[in-house]
């Protein structure tokens, strides 16, 4: 596709997860289908206009009708497509199970750490198969600055409890965990569990996009002896309330993110990620595969 001229200025992207398939309260502009070197994303990207007149991009992670399983989401295409329309910051949303008594269904958690329990079946690097080697830094998988913006603004949203940090386990799925697994993750210090934050967060980092994910607790997974283990019915029931709260939180925090990406000459919000791959490449440019360089230029117009 030919990218329209305004796309370079669509700096904010939102990824909706289970139960969050569209945005409310913003003016619809258009839907765009972006083909990437890694294939097609889960669906069309919706471009919407904020009350401040900026355009943002929305993508439903599993597709608008949730037709794609977490292991089968083309995370590379999703992130590459958002990057192609200009996105520098992604605020993602995810339905998660709670591994802690104090994180109740309905609570939101701004995770700062992730334990990867996916099983190697997901395309998890833009560099795989390109003949170009690069190693992203991922010790802090989520943007501290974006988390803190969301945490601060969440005070203005009624009826939500937001935990400002936490560790997520990302499991393979689609079947939920056994009780033994759920207890194992608790013993590791994990607070919530989902099936999608890996490789989404890792690919955002490779693409130098500032990324945070709002984890919305829907259930107590499988660890509580006194309760039935999680079911989809339970997740969807809680997500009805969570989705409304997520939309309210997004509308509340958007002006702050817009201010940070359009009006801060220092670009403090995106600074840690922008340019972070600069020293991650191993080979001298003349030793990199030229077809790989051409593929990667789709997301790294600055390096290739
Ligand atoms: C349908 S429950 C399991 C499903 O829900 C979460 O999705 P998302 O992270 O996209 O909100 C979880 O990660 C699983 O993919
Ligand atoms: N218990 C759970 N495990 C994994 N992903 C989830 N998404 C919502 N609840 C979940």
């Amino acid at each position: 596709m030919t990218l329209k001229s305004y796309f370079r200025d669509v700096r904010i992207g939102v990824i909706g997860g289970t139960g969050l398939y569209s945005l409310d309260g913003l003016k619809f502009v258009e839907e765009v289908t972006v083909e990437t070197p890694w294939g097609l994303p889960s669906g069309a990207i919706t471009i919407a206009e904020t009350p401040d007149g900026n355009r943002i991009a929305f993508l439903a992670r599993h597709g608008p009708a949730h037709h794609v399983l977490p292991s089968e989401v083309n995370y590379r295409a999703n992130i590459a497509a958002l990057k192609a329309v200009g996105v520098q910051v992604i605020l993602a949303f995810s339905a998660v199970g709670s591994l802690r008594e104090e994180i109740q269904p309905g609570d939101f958690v701004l995770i700062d750490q992730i334990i990867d329990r996916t099983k190697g079946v997901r395309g998890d690097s833009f560099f795989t198969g390109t003949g170009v080697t690069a190693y992203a830094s991922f010790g802090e998988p989520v943007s501290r600055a974006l988390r803190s913006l969301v945490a601060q603004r969440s005070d203005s949203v009624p009826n939500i409890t937001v935990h400002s940090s936490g560790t997520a386990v990302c499991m393979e799925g689609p079947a939920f965990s056994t009780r033994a697994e759920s207890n194992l993750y608790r013993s590791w210090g994990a607070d919530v569990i989902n099936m999608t934050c890996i490789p989404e967060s890792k690919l955002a980092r490779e693409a130098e996009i500032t990324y945070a994910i709002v984890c919305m607790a829907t259930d107590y997974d499988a660890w509580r002896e006194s309760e039935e283990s999680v079911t989809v019915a339970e997740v969807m029931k809680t997500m009805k309330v969570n989705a409304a709260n997520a939309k309210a939180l997004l509308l509340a925090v958007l002006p702050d993110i817009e201010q940070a990406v359009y009006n801060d000459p220092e670009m403090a919000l995106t600074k840690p990620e922008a340019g972070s791959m600069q020293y991650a490449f191993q080979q001298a440019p003349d030793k990199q595969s030229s077809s790989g360089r051409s593929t990667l230029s789709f997301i790294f117009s600055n390096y290739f």
Side-chain angles (χ1 to χ4, degrees), residues 18 94-99 169 171 173-177 182 192-196 216-222 230-231 235 239:
T18 294
S94 170
V96 303
S98 167
L99 299 172
V169 169
M171 61 174 291
F176 293 111
S177 305
S182 198
V192 295
I193 181 160
N194 81 352
M195 303 179 190
T196 58
M216 304 173 287
T218 53
D219 54 84
Y220 279 114
D221 199 40
V230 54
T231 61
V235 170
M239 264 316 295

Side-chain angles (χ1 to χ4, degrees), residues 172-192:
E172 192 57 62
F176 293 111
S177 305
T178 63
R179 181 158 292 155
E181 287 164 339
S182 198
N183 276 317
L184 177 68
Y185 304 147
R186 278 165 52 76
S187 78
W188 287 350
D191 301 299
V192 295

Side-chain angles (χ1 to χ4, degrees), residues 12-80:
I12 302 167
V14 176
I15 297 179
T18 294
L20 194 65
Y21 305 113
S22 64
L23 295 177
D24 292 339
L26 299 174
K27 194 168 128 204
F28 174 83
V29 177
E30 65 173 323
E31 279 195 343
V32 287
T33 301
V34 183
E35 195 170 350
T36 80
W38 296 275
L40 285 168
S42 302
I45 291 177
T46 302
I47 306 290
E49 194 175 296
T50 70
D52 288 346
N54 295 308
R55 286 173 177 181
I56 72 160
F58 174 82
L59 179 61
R61 179 185 290 122
H62 303 268
H66 202 130
H67 65 285
V68 192
L69 283 169
S71 307
E72 293 169 350
V73 169
N74 189 339
Y75 295 93
R76 287 188 291 202
N78 283 359
I79 297 294

